[in-house]
Amino acid sequence: MISGFWGPKFEWKASCDLIGETIMGRCFASKKLSRHSLMMSMFLVTVLSLQRILAISMMLCDITAKLSKRIQKNPNHVFNIALVKEWNGQYQDAFDTINKFVKSGDIAREFNSINHYLVFLLAIRCGYVAGFQNHPSVVKMLDGLEKCNERVIAGLKTFSAHWAYVHFLKTLAGNKGQNMPKPLPQASLRNDDKQIAIIGDSHILSFAWRRVDKMVFVPRLINGLKAWHCQEGYTFVTHASLRAALKSVRQKVILLSAGEIDCRESLPDLLGRGIFSTEKEACDSTVKKFLQGLLALSKEFKLRIVVLPPPPCFSGQLNIKVPLVHAFHQALESQISAYEPNLQFLDTWIEVADKSGMLKDKFVCDQIHMGHGVVDALQPMISRMFSLSKPKRKGGK
């Protein structure tokens, strides 16, 4: 929802959405305390901007924990506070929060509910993003998931946004079926490595912690980010998290990925409701707002943003997403030149798509994502893109 009546600087509605997604979430650590936290948040954000809402959420989680020691041992609260830390880009802190909770009990004896194992899903994701792919606790949690009963597994799968990462990250970390080097643990970074921030949806993890020449891609995952969320004035937690990520970047050039979820979820719904008449119309409109939003962010944070297209669909996908992904890619390709030099397009399809515009089999990781092999295939293209310290401006100036 675009900020309308309240305007971009008076966004208590967005803060309520954020509290609902994090502190209250699907699991209530304490309904009474959660209601108090919500009321406090609504009051505070009437005088504070959206950029501070994530910090407010963290503070309210800490207050809630201090008010009740019992909650500190509750998996619901642990999940919620770790999720807020993830939104803030504090992946290591989020991982440490869950790891401390896991170490405090016996997995085989005390971890007997869906909520206990749900924290594992979040920890595995945050651990990977933080560069702890081979951390003993991550291995232990993956082992614990494999040993839990069918009832728990069925319950976990209802949290699809979290469950979907397990197979994807296990495949990436182990490079199942791929003759490629494993992603670098964070501890393996060298002093002369140039860290390149790659920000966005889950597709950034196909690049995460891989080295190209002396560049290493450091991920900043914004779970569930859509291209639509990037437009100016958008009031939702993903937009707040994106702004926080861009503000924290030290480099002048970043990679950004968004759009695949639009093609998979939002745009099919809009087409079904008759909001748009064709895939091209839907994608042209979405990409225009997407690029306009990125241009504003590029100017505000003084960054050059290299945009990645959604990956091609794999050959087994024969649904409405296929023409949408094609139309989205074409819209990016045709529109982005108007936004140079602030925005640039890294057209991965040149290397990873076959003649019909489908993902080549060797790059398939799961039913949605590409594997690490894409990084090696794109190495020459990436090297050329990032060897340009200053992009050429129009007219040769």
Side-chain angles (χ1 to χ4, degrees):
M1 183 181 71
I2 303 172
S3 61
F5 178 79
W6 296 109
K9 292 186 179 179
F10 195 81
E11 294 165 324
W12 64 268
K13 173 63 172 66
S15 76
C16 295
D17 292 340
L18 175 61
I19 299 299
E21 290 288 332
T22 53
I23 296 176
M24 294 174 73
R26 297 191 186 189
C27 310
F28 290 83
S30 168
K31 291 184 179 180
K32 185 175 180 181
L33 289 174
S34 292
R35 285 197 298 270
H36 290 170
S37 297
L38 178 60
M39 292 170 63
M40 186 185 301
S41 174
M42 289 173 62
F43 171 75
L44 288 173
V45 297
T46 58
V47 293
L48 296 174
S49 69
L50 179 61
Q51 295 179 44
R52 298 189 182 182
I53 291 174
L54 293 173
I56 292 171
S57 302
M58 184 79 72
M59 179 189 71
L60 293 177
C61 279
D62 289 337
I63 291 172
T64 303
K66 291 175 181 177
L67 288 174
S68 175
K69 293 183 178 179
R70 178 179 62 82
I71 292 177
Q72 295 176 9
K73 297 183 179 180
N74 188 311
N76 304 346
H77 173 75
V78 173
F79 179 89
N80 289 336
I81 194 169
L83 189 61
V84 174
K85 290 181 176 181
E86 182 191 37
W87 285 122
N88 276 278
Q90 298 172 329
Y91 307 103
Q92 183 172 340
D93 287 348
F95 175 77
D96 290 342
T97 296
I98 296 176
N99 194 29
K100 182 179 179 181
F101 169 72
V102 172
K103 286 184 175 180
S104 68
D106 182 344
I107 292 180
R109 182 170 55 86
E110 297 180 20
F111 285 60
N112 52 16
S113 73
I114 293 172
N115 289 345
H116 279 95
Y117 285 99
L118 188 59
V119 300
F120 286 14
L121 304 185
L122 182 56
I124 291 165
R125 184 171 78 222
C126 290
Y128 192 96
V129 177
F132 300 152
Q133 304 93 333
N134 302 318
H135 193 286
S137 292
V138 172
V139 176
K140 186 177 181 181
M141 290 177 203
L142 285 170
D143 183 60
L145 283 171
E146 291 180 356
K147 293 180 179 178
C148 60
N149 60 53
E150 293 181 3
R151 179 186 65 82
V152 171
I153 291 292
L156 290 174
K157 287 182 177 180
T158 64
F159 295 87
S160 57
H162 300 288
W163 176 256
Y165 279 92
V166 175
H167 173 69
F168 176 39
L169 295 182
K170 283 177 68 175
T171 304
L172 283 182
N175 289 287
K176 181 180 178 182
Q178 299 180 56
N179 185 25
M180 297 292 174
K182 292 185 177 182
L184 298 167
Q186 187 182 42
S188 298
L189 293 180
R190 300 192 296 248
N191 292 333
D192 61 343
D193 282 332
K194 180 181 180 181
Q195 297 185 28
I196 302 294
I198 180 165
I199 300 171
D201 57 22
S202 59
H203 295 281
I204 69 169
L205 299 180
S206 300
F207 295 77
W209 302 113
R210 288 297 311 276
R211 181 180 281 122
V212 173
D213 296 332
K214 290 187 177 181
M215 298 179 291
V216 175
F217 295 109
V218 179
R220 181 73 188 258
L221 176 67
I222 302 174
N223 192 33
L225 180 69
K226 298 180 181 180
W228 189 254
H229 297 166
C230 298
Q231 63 183 295
E232 290 186 81
Y234 198 82
T235 55
F236 190 58
V237 59
T238 47
H239 187 89
S241 187
L242 174 61
R243 293 181 60 85
L246 294 174
K247 187 176 181 179
S248 69
V249 171
R250 296 179 181 179
Q251 302 84 23
K252 295 298 182 182
V253 186
I254 65 144
L255 280 168
L256 186 137
S257 172
E260 186 273 327
I261 305 177
D262 301 75
C263 297
R264 176 161 41 97
E265 296 179 357
S266 308
L267 295 180
D269 177 63
L270 294 174
L271 284 165
R273 290 192 283 129
I275 305 299
F276 297 110
S277 56
T278 65
E279 289 88 355
K280 184 179 187 305
E281 180 188 358
C283 291
D284 284 348
S285 175
T286 301
V287 167
K288 182 178 180 180
K289 291 183 180 295
F290 175 44
L291 295 180
Q292 287 175 340
L294 290 186
L295 179 63
L297 291 169
S298 170
K299 291 179 177 178
E300 179 180 352
F301 294 103
K302 297 179 173 60
L303 294 168
R304 177 159 58 102
I305 300 176
V306 179
V307 181
L308 294 168
C313 299
F314 73 103
S315 57
Q317 289 178 299
L318 299 174
N319 53 34
I320 192 171
K321 180 186 171 184
V322 177
L324 279 169
V325 170
H326 281 248
F328 198 98
H329 175 264
Q330 290 169 1
L332 273 176
E333 191 175 33
S334 63
Q335 293 185 34
I336 202 164
S337 61
Y339 300 90
E340 293 177 344
N342 299 76
L343 308 184
Q344 289 186 284
F345 186 42
L346 183 62
D347 192 358
T348 57
W349 284 41
I350 294 172
E351 296 293 339
V352 304
D354 60 23
K355 292 181 180 179
S356 63
M358 305 299 282
L359 185 64
K360 294 177 181 177
D361 290 342
K362 64 180 179 180
F363 297 122
V364 173
C365 180
D366 60 13
Q367 294 184 351
I368 296 176
H369 302 91
M370 298 184 292
H372 274 313
V374 66
V375 179
D376 289 346
L378 295 173
Q379 182 167 345
M381 189 183 300
I382 293 170
S383 296
R384 286 194 301 272
M385 177 72 73
F386 285 90
S387 65
L388 301 174
S389 57
K390 293 184 179 180
K392 294 182 181 179
R393 295 184 176 273
K394 292 180 179 180
K397 296 181 180 179

